[in-house]
Amino acid sequence: MHVVATAGHVDHGKSTLVLALTGMDPDRFAEEKTRGLTIDLGFAWTTLPSGRELAFVDVPGHVRFLKNMLAGVGAVDACLFVVAATEGWKPQTEEHLRILELLGVTSGVVAMTKVGLVDDEWLELAHLELADHVAGSFLEAAPVVDVDAPSDRGVEELRAALDDLLAVTPTAVDRGRPRLWIDRSFAAKGSGTVVTGTLAGGPLAEGDEVVVLPGARKARVRALQSHKAALAVAGPGRRLAVNLAGVHHEQVERGHAVVRPGQWEPTRRVDCSLTVLASLDHEVSRRGAHQAYIGSGEHPVRVRVLGAEALEPGATGLVRLHLPQPLPLLPGDRFVLRESGRGETVGGGEVLDVGPVLPASRARPSRSVDRVVAERRWVDADLLERLTGERRAPTVGRFVVDPTELEAAREQVRAAVAAAGALGLDVAALDERQRAVLHGLDGVVVDAGRAVLAGQAGDPLADHPYVAALEAAPFSPPAPDDVDRTELRELVRRGLVVERDGVWFAPAALEQAGRVIADLLVASPEGVTVAEVRDALGTTRKFLLPLLAVLDASGVTRRRGDLRIGGPRLPPATPARGRASG
Ligand SMILES: Nc1nc2c(ncn2[C@@H]2O[C@H](COP(=O)(O)OP(=O)(O)O)[C@@H](O)[C@H]2O)c(=O)[nH]1
Ligand SMILES: [Mg+2]
């Protein structure tokens, strides 16, 4: 199954050839018949001698209908390139060849038509002229077949040449991501909206839920037809008519696309390569009114040249295109750029980035998926697939992460865990990305919602002799004269010792003091004096004043004049003792 587009100047015999090859007249419209002129796309199909099926998209040759020509040649596999022997190479012969090249068409057959109307000498000259013009293009080595449709001369040879060509033309690839650029939309009696197009990228099946973009209209595939025959499933690379339930035909138009929901990242801004035609007599810059032909649509665009002010004729550079409506595009999609004012083809190129994040001044787009990851640093793997068409396994969590960025994030989280010490880092306080990084981090254990360095389970500092010494003499604590300064700082940081005004306490001493004061307050609810506390703890003012300062600061006690009363964190009194002394 292949789709081939015709190409060539008006009246050179494209439609006549399609009729001769298929028995079907591609000029559908009454107006086309009476004027003898193809205005819009025509469709016809045939089975080749090999059994291979071939569909033609017959395009108009007249310059006024170039827009319609462009709508038809988007997803084709090859071209039937037509040049009349009588007239030879003409402006639209040239323009169509350039457009096919810009759209990435790489194979074709040339038909030299109307050979019955010229003599041998003229025909020989016509061939020489043709060879001159296709030199250097993808048609340079293409077979050239002489035909004269009225006498049937050459039609069988042409059929054979097409068969040979398609035998070596790769069929459309199935990436599981169907996209049908709509070239016609109409209401069929009794069945509602029907759209047609060349299916690419993946299959569509009866019953599929789809969306029509732009506009994100949900619809369902009610029925499929290819070449007038009903199909339950249609693979990519087919001309297809799709009967859609759920949308009105007037909501759908040429240039829209039928896709599956959730597989695309519709965009209004794309970074692309742009090759400017060498024949253009001016440079391309942001000036001028441009139209981009993408898929089957024509879209007015703003053009911004990246990394330069303008592109010279013949040059290939980078541009950012601003579209009026979001389109489901992918890197690798081709487009043609025309200048609407002058009505000339400017050039064309390839979509490189459908979701550029860098400002135009810094953007240097390419097809590289690594570049997308590096620029976004963290990308959801599903989003990355929608942006690039490529599936990458997530590096952490659901994210694909730039390697440098990931290393930095690992270091940052590891440092935070280390800083949290033996108590551990509250995992709930981390954001999603940090949590994802934490879970893959070597040497970190997560226990009961807290992350600790693996070495700290069984922390040597917890059994530090100084802590033991402080606990042994809670209210006459020894000075840390023999303790290593780094260790002491770490002990303080981890809350294993508490320092105030040059005096060090064990946390246990503070707790004990709090309980003793609570008991005293049962007997003296109006408050206790420093001397009373001192006596109850059996300590001296030297130790007691810093100790009370800690208790005041932590809300265990509060000052009222010369007295201490209970603060919000005062522990409950010991029931028995409290009552006994009261
Ligand atoms: N003698 C002769 N006339 C042809 C041939 N092919 C097309 N024609 C005539 O040329 C005119 C234009 O043909 P058409 O197929 O409409 O050209 P298109 O604009 O390229 O599609 C018609 O009147 C055809 O009958 C041919 O091979 N020999
Ligand atoms: Mg025609």
Side-chain angles (χ1 to χ4, degrees):
M1 171 63 58
H2 285 280
V3 183
V4 169
T6 61
H9 199 73
V10 62
D11 257 357
H12 278 203
K14 297 181 292 297
S15 301
T16 303
L17 260 191
V18 170
L19 174 61
L21 288 164
T22 66
M24 299 169 73
D25 187 351
D27 286 339
R28 312 167 269 136
F29 297 122
E31 190 192 357
E32 290 178 337
K33 294 258 185 296
T34 50
R35 290 172 65 185
L37 181 78
T38 310
I39 293 170
D40 208 337
L41 300 171
F43 304 96
W45 53 91
T46 187
T47 305
L48 292 167
S50 64
R52 211 168 273 116
E53 277 190 80
L54 165 59
F56 281 106
V57 177
D58 183 40
V59 308
H62 198 285
V63 63
R64 269 173 47 216
F65 308 118
L66 194 80
K67 163 183 168 175
N68 298 339
M69 180 268 179
L70 279 156
V73 296
V76 303
D77 301 309
C79 70
L80 171 58
F81 199 83
V82 173
V83 184
T86 45
E87 289 195 325
W89 200 267
K90 298 284 278 184
Q92 267 62 57
T93 322
E94 175 71 23
E95 187 161 35
H96 284 194
L97 175 59
R98 297 282 89 87
I99 285 171
L100 292 168
E101 283 195 313
L102 293 171
L103 290 174
V105 175
T106 54
S107 63
V109 171
V110 181
M112 176 74 80
T113 58
K114 307 194 183 185
V115 294
L117 298 177
V118 299
D119 61 25
D120 288 353
E121 199 180 332
W122 184 280
L123 182 59
E124 196 180 326
L125 285 172
H127 275 281
L128 289 174
E129 186 202 32
L130 171 68
D132 249 13
H133 284 290
V134 298
S137 81
F138 73 97
L139 288 177
E140 179 160 14
V144 182
V145 182
D146 288 346
V147 290
D148 195 64
S151 61
D152 243 11
R153 178 174 158 196
V155 173
E156 280 321 303
E157 287 86 338
L158 183 60
R159 203 189 299 280
L162 283 165
D163 216 348
D164 291 346
L165 174 77
L166 297 183
V168 295
T169 303
T171 44
V173 280
D174 184 348
R175 297 195 171 85
R177 187 193 295 257
R179 182 177 54 183
L180 182 98
W181 288 112
I182 295 169
D183 43 43
R184 280 183 299 169
S185 158
F186 51 89
K189 243 200 203 99
S191 51
T193 303
V194 174
V195 298
T196 68
T198 307
L199 181 63
L204 275 183
E206 223 177 77
D208 275 357
E209 299 295 329
V210 293
V211 278
V212 181
L213 298 167
R217 289 200 170 77
K218 289 193 185 134
R220 194 174 49 79
V221 175
R222 187 185 282 154
L224 295 168
Q225 263 193 14
S226 190
H227 305 171
K228 297 252 146 86
L231 290 173
V233 185
R238 270 188 181 274
R239 286 294 309 167
L240 203 61
V242 185
N243 180 199
L244 292 175
V247 284
H248 192 269
H249 77 274
E250 278 172 359
Q251 296 174 317
V252 181
E253 56 191 59
R254 173 175 288 179
H256 289 186
V258 177
V259 296
R260 284 199 198 134
Q263 290 193 319
W264 300 83
E265 198 63 16
T267 178
R268 290 185 53 187
R269 197 164 60 147
V270 276
D271 285 355
C272 311
S273 67
L274 175 69
T275 298
V276 180
L277 292 182
S279 56
L280 203 70
D281 65 2
H282 57 92
E283 57 180 25
V284 174
S285 68
R286 63 166 78 198
R287 270 172 300 149
H290 292 104
Q291 304 273 357
Y293 296 80
I294 308 181
S296 53
E298 173 191 53
H299 307 274
V301 288
R302 268 197 306 121
V303 178
R304 165 89 190 256
V305 180
L306 302 175
E309 274 303 301
L311 290 173
E312 298 295 323
T316 295
L318 298 169
V319 291
R320 176 164 292 178
L321 301 182
H322 295 268
L323 298 158
Q325 284 174 302
L327 294 179
L329 300 177
L330 262 193
D333 285 343
R334 297 290 191 134
F335 70 97
V336 168
L337 194 68
R338 300 195 89 230
E339 230 273 13
S340 11
R342 307 181 201 223
E344 63 189 355
T345 299
V346 158
E350 189 185 18
V351 170
L352 301 174
D353 192 337
V354 304
V357 288
L358 296 182
S361 55
R362 288 199 288 123
R364 292 300 173 270
S366 68
R367 285 283 299 271
S368 158
V369 177
D370 290 332
R371 177 194 57 80
V372 175
V373 175
E375 286 179 6
R376 292 180 172 251
R377 308 212 284 270
W378 290 74
V379 207
D380 177 280
D382 292 339
L383 173 62
L384 186 65
E385 188 177 0
R386 291 197 299 278
L387 289 169
T388 64
E390 246 183 68
R391 183 81 202 165
R392 289 266 175 110
T395 339
V396 281
R398 61 189 173 89
F399 299 102
V400 179
V401 190
D402 174 60
T404 324
E405 183 72 13
L406 180 60
E407 212 26 67
R410 285 196 169 128
E411 280 317 306
Q412 190 227 334
V413 172
R414 192 189 300 282
V417 172
L423 262 183
L425 184 72
D426 183 4
V427 176
L430 297 176
D431 67 25
E432 187 192 0
R433 294 172 182 193
Q434 292 171 320
R435 262 204 303 283
V437 165
L438 178 73
H439 286 300
L441 219 50
D442 286 340
V444 170
V445 224
V446 178
D447 184 27
R450 303 193 83 85
V452 238
L453 291 188
Q456 265 174 356
D459 187 347
L461 286 182
D463 303 325
H464 198 279
Y466 185 51
V467 176
L470 290 176
E471 284 171 354
F475 305 117
S476 50
D481 296 338
D482 301 332
V483 182
D484 175 89
R485 290 293 111 175
T486 319
E487 279 182 28
L488 184 63
R489 225 179 302 123
E490 196 53 27
L491 286 170
V492 172
R493 215 177 50 71
R494 296 187 188 193
L496 294 170
V497 303
V498 176
E499 184 268 350
R500 183 77 188 210
D501 303 332
V503 180
W504 279 261
F505 299 99
L510 300 167
E511 281 163 33
Q512 195 185 334
R515 284 196 301 274
V516 169
I517 294 170
D519 288 350
L520 289 176
L521 284 171
V522 174
S524 322
E526 71 293 349
V528 291
T529 64
V530 169
E532 284 167 332
V533 178
R534 181 198 60 203
D535 294 346
L537 295 178
T539 181
T540 63
R541 286 179 69 85
K542 172 187 166 193
F543 298 119
L544 183 63
L545 295 184
L547 188 147
L548 284 175
V550 176
L551 295 182
D552 288 345
S554 61
V556 173
T557 51
R558 216 189 296 159
R559 282 186 82 139
R560 183 187 282 166
D562 288 340
L563 298 176
R564 283 297 191 301
I565 58 169
R569 302 243 159 118
L570 184 74
T574 320
R577 251 187 79 194
R579 235 168 278 121
S581 59

